Amino acid sequence: MFAMAKPMIMQILQRHRLAWMNAMGLFLTYSFISREKEYPRVKNASAQAWAFKSLATITNTGQYELKGWQMFVGFQHKEILVSASGAIVVDGDDFPLEVGNGTTFAGNPMTDLKTAIDTAGDFTQISAQIEITGSVFGIKPPGVPMPKNIKLVDDGYKCPKATLKGKTYMQVCCKKDPKAKVEKKTLKFLPRRYGDLSLTYDVLQAYGSNYQAQVTIDNINPLGRLDHWNLTWEWMNGEFITKMRGAYTHKRDFSECVYGPAGQYYKDFDFSTVMNCEKKPTISDLPPERKNDSQVGKLPYCCRNGTLLPSIMDESKARSIFQLEVFKMPPFLNRTALVPPEKWKIDGVVNPQYKCGPPIRVDPTEFPDPSGLDSKTYAIASWQVTCNITRPKDKLSRCCVSFSAYYNRSAIPCSTCACGCDNNEGCSKTARAMLLPTESLLVPFDNRTTKAIAWADLNKFKVPNPRPCPDNCPVSINWHIDSDYKTGWTASITLFNWDNSPFRGLVFCNPNRQSLQGP
């Protein structure tokens, strides 16, 4: 895409070299290269889309190596990214990607920037370029859609406000923060980070064309819980999974290998035994009955049907492990050419929403010696992905709560559209849910209409027109007040699973009376 702009890019890079000659730190730049009017052509200037090209660079002009660089670009004109070579978008989905509020780029495949001292000034090892292509709205010539700011996101650095040099170029020099805490332990790679979920990608064995890896998922949050977890990532260099132990992929179609680059390179390979050829596989934990299976089981911390409990509840059930064999594609056929997958995502059933960062290279993971000796073995290479709980949108809620009491004949059902109403028509999304007789909570929403109308007529309640939409929740919880005394009260909790997939009930304890369990 940048073929016609290569001479201009070379001029920009030459300009950068002249600019950072006197810089001491991390020198960041953003250059706007070109734009063209896109279809459809509209009269409203603010709605007209323009295809643009730009170049962002980061150069290490300091005396410290920068590991796992991340650069923020403060886009502000409803930009939509189509491609970004030389980097990946942190926490981003597939292209095209809306980045109107700014986005963060991370290095790929070049994640670290060495110093000129260690490389004798080799520009290819101390600098990285991000060639950006996308669409922008409403900025017609002679206006230039420049970002608000650019800065380094890595810990331990301070960046002043970026300065504009003309209309199409901005720069900033970020330096070490003297007040930043220094890691006392000397690490070859980045220190491990804390997150609600910690996922580790360890390479255990490496060969020329393939390697064996192990994925470890640790639940660190004291309250977060995962049920039926599904893990996805994206292979960046044409890799495919041949074998897996402790987990499985949802799709086993090997046609993508046969008709793709893998089939052209591995001409005599039997792809019928391959586990998965998708660029973005979906991986799930095995059920408990496969735990002792000699082919796919027999791994510690595997085969729990995707359940991850908080460590304070049960430390032995706060971890999941699975292993996989990965075949690589040229030019990554060297034994040491190891690149982890990117864009990790994990979710579950009736669980918090997680947002995962990019994999960072960490010191190799230690393992106890399998022979039982008092020694340790190490992974060949290790990467860590940290995922943190984010505030979910209303429509992403997966459960709701209804209320009832011994002193009231009516039950208060879950709120209208408690878990979203995108697919409901012919009903009101804003009307309040109708009061019900308590026995109506035992039947699905579709079977409650007659009872709700009869109950409203009996008690002179107003019936909305149109009637309220359902809550659309796969799981509901009912809180019922059983009794109320001067010395205390009692309540019962009932869980209803209206979904097609199984859900294991949680145990709730009443300190005054008894332990109650949902069905």
Side-chain angles (χ1 to χ4, degrees):
M1 295 182 179
F2 274 72
M4 298 182 65
K6 286 298 181 184
M8 185 176 295
I9 291 177
M10 296 306 296
Q11 294 179 11
I12 293 173
L13 292 179
Q14 183 61 30
R15 178 182 181 181
H16 295 342
R17 295 193 187 198
L18 295 175
W20 56 257
M21 286 295 184
N22 297 322
M24 289 186 63
L26 274 300
F27 190 71
L28 284 64
T29 69
Y30 181 93
S31 301
F32 181 83
I33 296 177
S34 64
R35 72 172 135 204
E36 293 180 3
K37 186 178 287 188
E38 291 181 347
Y39 294 105
R41 307 291 174 87
V42 296
K43 294 182 180 180
N44 185 357
S46 62
Q48 178 61 56
W50 298 77
F52 77 95
K53 291 180 173 66
S54 60
L55 178 70
T57 72
I58 175 171
T59 306
N60 188 359
T61 60
Q63 56 181 324
Y64 303 102
E65 180 180 358
L66 178 63
K67 293 182 178 294
W69 66 264
Q70 294 189 24
M71 177 180 179
F72 175 79
V73 179
F75 294 112
Q76 57 178 331
H77 302 291
K78 300 180 181 178
E79 288 89 347
I80 299 176
L81 293 190
V82 176
S83 68
S85 62
I88 60 170
V89 177
V90 176
D91 301 330
D93 295 321
D94 292 335
F95 293 118
L97 185 64
E98 296 182 5
V99 293
N101 293 323
T103 191
T104 300
F105 295 97
N108 182 56
M110 188 174 180
T111 59
D112 305 333
L113 297 179
K114 297 184 179 298
T115 66
I117 299 172
D118 295 334
T119 63
D122 185 355
F123 187 76
T124 61
Q125 297 186 62
I126 68 172
S127 180
Q129 294 84 43
I130 311 171
E131 297 179 355
I132 302 170
T133 301
S135 298
V136 63
F137 290 87
I139 305 296
K140 64 179 182 179
V144 179
M146 293 292 287
K148 279 184 180 180
N149 192 25
I150 56 174
K151 63 180 180 179
L152 189 69
V153 183
D154 297 72
D155 295 333
Y157 287 87
K158 293 183 67 176
C159 300
K161 178 75 174 179
T163 56
L164 277 169
K165 301 290 184 178
K167 292 184 177 181
T168 62
Y169 178 85
M170 69 190 320
Q171 65 182 40
V172 65
C173 184
C174 303
K175 297 184 178 180
K176 275 277 190 180
D177 184 359
K179 296 181 180 180
K181 294 182 179 179
V182 179
E183 181 71 29
K184 294 181 179 180
K185 183 180 177 181
T186 303
L187 299 173
K188 185 177 180 181
F189 300 101
L190 289 170
R192 294 179 185 257
R193 299 177 180 177
Y194 175 85
D196 294 320
L197 282 180
S198 176
L199 297 90
T200 308
Y201 191 82
D202 295 309
V203 176
L204 305 180
Q205 298 175 0
Y207 308 95
S209 60
N210 64 87
Y211 64 86
Q212 183 182 356
Q214 177 172 287
V215 177
T216 305
I217 308 173
D218 287 306
N219 186 7
I220 303 175
N221 188 282
L223 299 177
R225 169 183 173 139
L226 271 170
D227 289 284
H228 303 288
W229 56 257
N230 291 314
L231 174 65
T232 62
W233 60 53
E234 182 174 342
W235 296 113
M236 307 304 292
N237 303 296
E239 298 95 333
F240 58 93
I241 303 172
T242 52
K243 298 177 183 177
M244 188 170 283
R245 182 185 291 269
Y248 69 99
T249 57
H250 287 204
K251 189 176 179 181
R252 297 198 64 170
D253 184 6
F254 55 87
S255 61
E256 293 186 35
C257 284
V258 174
Y259 295 105
Q264 297 177 10
Y265 181 77
Y266 295 102
K267 296 181 180 180
D268 299 326
F269 196 93
D270 182 11
F271 288 102
S272 64
T273 61
V274 167
M275 183 75 175
N276 186 275
C277 292
E278 292 179 289
K279 185 174 183 178
K280 300 166 107 179
T282 301
I283 302 168
S284 295
D285 193 14
L286 286 171
E289 55 266 23
R290 306 301 291 270
K291 183 175 182 179
N292 294 320
D293 191 306
S294 59
Q295 293 184 344
V296 297
K298 291 191 177 294
L299 271 181
Y301 305 105
C302 88
C303 314
R304 298 200 184 110
N305 218 20
T307 297
L308 272 176
L309 299 178
S311 57
I312 59 174
M313 290 181 62
D314 191 336
E315 190 171 354
S316 66
K317 295 181 179 179
R319 167 175 288 185
S320 282
I321 285 179
F322 65 90
Q323 295 180 354
L324 63 159
E325 183 183 63
V326 181
F327 266 70
K328 302 182 291 183
M329 291 289 293
F332 299 93
L333 297 181
N334 188 293
R335 185 188 292 263
T336 59
L338 302 169
V339 181
E342 302 282 352
K343 300 181 181 179
W344 292 55
K345 296 179 182 179
I346 190 167
D347 59 19
V349 179
V350 196
N351 293 128
Q353 302 296 315
Y354 290 91
K355 190 173 185 180
C356 300
I360 61 169
R361 186 76 180 268
V362 294
D363 280 359
T365 304
E366 297 180 357
F367 299 101
D369 194 299
S371 65
L373 296 176
D374 187 17
S375 61
K376 295 178 180 179
T377 60
Y378 293 85
I380 296 173
S382 298
W383 289 265
Q384 185 198 26
V385 176
T386 53
C387 304
N388 291 303
I389 296 174
T390 60
R391 179 173 296 177
K393 299 178 182 179
D394 291 341
K395 66 178 182 180
L396 296 180
S397 298
R398 301 301 305 275
C399 66
C400 61
V401 181
S402 59
F403 299 92
S404 58
Y406 72 92
Y407 53 79
N408 199 323
R409 294 191 304 161
S410 296
I412 302 174
C414 290
S415 301
T416 304
C417 298
C419 297
C421 261
D422 293 340
N423 300 322
N424 290 101
E425 297 180 359
C427 59
S428 174
K429 300 179 182 179
T430 57
R432 296 186 63 178
M434 298 174 61
L435 296 178
L436 301 170
T438 53
E439 68 271 12
S440 297
L441 296 175
L442 301 175
V443 298
F445 182 88
D446 295 340
N447 299 333
R448 296 178 185 175
T449 304
T450 303
K451 291 180 177 290
I453 295 176
W455 189 251
D457 182 63
L458 180 65
N459 293 276
K460 309 301 181 185
F461 296 148
K462 183 179 179 181
V463 178
N465 186 19
R467 288 191 293 272
C469 294
D471 55 69
N472 294 308
C473 294
V475 172
S476 63
I477 304 170
N478 184 68
W479 176 273
H480 179 76
I481 300 296
D482 282 321
S483 62
D484 189 11
Y485 303 96
K486 289 183 179 180
T487 56
W489 50 266
T490 61
S492 61
I493 299 172
T494 309
L495 276 73
F496 298 93
N497 181 16
W498 309 111
D499 205 7
N500 294 325
S501 56
F503 175 74
R504 299 181 184 276
L506 295 175
V507 175
F508 299 85
C509 295
N510 185 323
N512 293 329
R513 291 299 176 103
Q514 58 184 344
S515 178
L516 303 176
Q517 184 172 355

